[in-house]
Amino acid sequence: MKKRLFVLTVLGMAAAMPLSAAADAAFMKVSTIKNGRLVNGTNLFRVQGPNGYGLVDLNGNALTGTIYGNNFYFEDNFITVSEYVEGINHDGILDLNGKTVVPFQYGAIDILSSRWALGIVLEEATSDAYDYESWGNDNKYYKISKVD
């Protein structure tokens, strides 16, 4: 009985060796992206430039200009991001190549699936009647004026 256990242990260790070698290969360094932060769920990086943030690929090739805010959200093969401008309605959607697929004219975007999204246009409101409230300390309120 002890021989069988030993044989199984040796076979188990031998079977695990290729898996650990494969795991080590998965962590091989591909490139260095200076000041880059991975956009969760993608193989793209958010990088900071003089006027905001932009997207680069694994090789450091710029996919967009650095004209966006710092929050890039990936869902259903699209990236929701805000242009780095003043105002309420500046959200849009990029594809994984950095191309605009939904114009930057919304106050909020809800991606429903890989084929459907809601673009919500907002306008300023009061605390008596509103749909959205700002997260900051400025206590601003907004109501929905249009949904595309």
Side-chain angles (χ1 to χ4, degrees):
M1 189 68 161
K2 288 185 180 181
K3 284 185 179 180
R4 286 185 184 158
L5 290 176
F6 176 74
V7 170
L8 290 175
T9 303
V10 171
L11 288 174
M13 289 183 344
M17 290 174 76
L19 293 176
S20 65
D24 288 341
F27 293 106
M28 183 174 57
K29 185 175 181 178
V30 176
S31 66
T32 301
I33 307 296
K34 187 175 181 178
N35 297 324
R37 184 169 188 165
L38 187 67
V39 176
N40 289 338
T42 73
N43 59 356
L44 303 175
F45 289 86
R46 174 198 82 185
V47 294
Q48 187 172 8
N51 300 318
Y53 293 83
L55 282 177
V56 299
D57 64 17
L58 284 173
N59 296 316
N61 300 315
L63 301 176
T64 69
T66 53
I67 59 171
Y68 303 107
N70 66 344
N71 294 320
F72 289 75
Y73 299 104
F74 174 74
E75 187 175 352
D76 285 316
N77 289 319
F78 295 104
I79 299 170
T80 305
V81 67
S82 298
E83 283 185 318
Y84 199 66
V85 295
E86 293 293 322
I88 303 169
N89 298 300
H90 49 70
D91 289 3
I93 298 178
L94 302 173
D95 66 13
L96 294 176
N97 296 312
K99 304 290 184 232
T100 301
V101 292
V102 172
F104 288 83
Q105 62 189 31
Y106 299 101
I109 293 180
D110 188 8
I111 296 178
L112 303 176
S113 71
S114 61
R115 297 189 62 179
W116 293 96
L118 293 175
I120 302 166
V121 178
L122 299 176
E123 60 185 40
E124 289 193 31
T126 64
S127 61
D128 297 333
Y130 65 93
D131 299 307
Y132 288 81
E133 183 177 358
S134 66
W135 288 10
N137 295 328
D138 54 1
N139 294 329
K140 290 191 176 184
Y141 301 93
Y142 307 98
K143 65 180 179 176
I144 297 172
S145 66
K146 182 172 111 175
V147 177
D148 293 338

